[in-house]
Amino acid sequence: DTAVSQTPKYLVTQMGNDKSIKCEQNLGHDTMYWYKQDSKKFLKIMFSYNNKELIINETVPNRFSPKSPDKAHLNLHINSLELGDSAVYFCASSHLAGGNEQFFGPGTRLTVL
Amino acid sequence: AQSVTQLGSHVSVSEGALVLLRCNYSSSVPPYLFWYVQYPNQGLQLLLKYTSAATLVKGINGFEAEFKKSETSFHLTKPSAHMSDAAEYFCAVSEGDKIIFGKGTRLHILP
C-alpha cells in the first residue's frame, strides 16, 4: 500500500558511471517531483512533471535527465556521476495547485566513490 | 520569491517540556505554509498546513502552529515533548507550482 515508492533505496557507484532511480506513486496525483537533500539536510527541488510534462527545471546539470513514461512514474537518470552527486534523492507527488500537500517517497541514498 | 527562515538548526528540550520551533516567512501574497517532519532515514511527512482558514492549525502527533501575519511567523509548538519527537523539522512555503523548504531544525529530546 506504499503511496510513493522509490528504487533502489541505496546506490553505491563509481565516478563516471550512469545510474537511474525509479519512482512510482499510486495516489492518483498528476504532479511528481525530484528533490536532492545534501549532507546538511538542505532540501532543494530539481524537477517537477505535471501529466508527463516538465513544469519545473531548476538549475540542475544536464547530466540529470528526468523521464516520465506516465503520470504515475517519474524516473531520474544521471550520467557521468560525480562525487558531488552524493546525496539523498527524494521523489514526491501531489495534485497541482497551490497549497496542496506533497507526499514523499522514502529516499534513495546515492554514494559516488 | 518566497522564502522561509528557520531559527536554530538544532533545538534541545527535555522530555515533557514545551517544544517551540521557529519559522518566519517572506511572501508578497497570502502564503500557503507547511511543517514537515523527517524521522531518521525516512522521507518527509506532513505535520500540518496553513491555507488561509483558521490561524491556529492543529496537526498530527499533538503539534500545532499559529499563523501570525503581523510577525510573518508560523512557529510550531507542542505542549509536552516525547522522545519519539526527535527528528528534523522543515518549515515550507508554497510558491506557484513548488514548495520552498527551510533549512530544517533538528529537535533533540533530553531524557
Side-chain angles (χ1 to χ4, degrees), chain A residues 3 16 21 36 61 71 74 77 79 85 88 96 105 108 113:
Chain A
I21 306 172
K36 179 180 180 181
K71 71 176 188 178
L74 181 62
H77 189 76
N79 290 327
D85 298 332
V88 181
L96 182 64
T108 296
L113 303 175

Side-chain angles (χ1 to χ4, degrees), chain A residues 9 33 35 37 41-43 45 56 58 90 96 98-99 101-102 104-106 109, chain B residues 32 34 36 38 41-44 46 49 51 88 90 94 97-99 101 103 106:
Chain A
K9 187 167 176 65
Y33 311 80
Y35 288 87
Q37 186 175 49
K41 299 293 186 182
F42 184 55
L43 200 65
I45 190 166
I56 295 173
E58 296 292 298
F90 287 101
L96 182 64
E101 171 189 359
Q102 291 184 15
F104 282 77
R109 182 175 295 276
Chain B
Y32 295 114
F34 308 83
Y36 281 83
Q38 184 180 24
N41 299 313
Q42 294 187 28
L44 278 71
L46 183 72
K49 66 178 181 181
T51 56
E88 191 87 22
F90 293 92
S94 178
D97 300 332
K98 59 186 178 183
I99 292 178
F101 286 87
K103 293 189 175 182
R106 173 63 63 91

Side-chain angles (χ1 to χ4, degrees), chain A:
Chain A
D1 281 39
T2 305
V4 182
S5 59
Q6 297 178 226
T7 54
K9 187 167 176 65
Y10 299 96
L11 188 52
V12 181
T13 188
Q14 300 286 333
M15 263 196 320
N17 284 350
D18 303 338
K19 291 293 179 185
S20 292
I21 306 172
K22 296 187 175 183
C23 178
E24 176 181 1
Q25 56 95 4
N26 62 7
L27 297 168
H29 290 156
D30 53 15
T31 306
M32 297 183 72
Y33 311 80
W34 276 110
Y35 288 87
K36 179 180 180 181
Q37 186 175 49
D38 63 22
S39 58
K40 294 185 177 179
K41 299 293 186 182
F42 184 55
L43 200 65
K44 183 171 170 50
I45 190 166
M46 300 172 69
F47 302 102
S48 173
Y49 270 72
N50 174 254
N51 284 322
K52 303 194 297 175
E53 291 200 16
L54 182 68
I55 57 170
I56 295 173
N57 184 353
E58 296 292 298
T59 50
V60 177
N62 58 15
R63 297 182 296 103
F64 290 79
S65 53
K67 286 187 170 51
S68 182
D70 56 61
K71 71 176 188 178
H73 296 84
L74 181 62
N75 303 323
L76 183 65
H77 189 76
I78 316 171
N79 290 327
S80 303
L81 278 155
E82 300 178 357
L83 293 177
D85 298 332
S86 295
V88 181
Y89 293 84
F90 287 101
C91 178
S93 72
S94 75
H95 288 298
L96 182 64
N100 278 330
E101 171 189 359
Q102 291 184 15
F103 290 77
F104 282 77
T108 296
R109 182 175 295 276
L110 172 64
T111 303
V112 182
L113 303 175

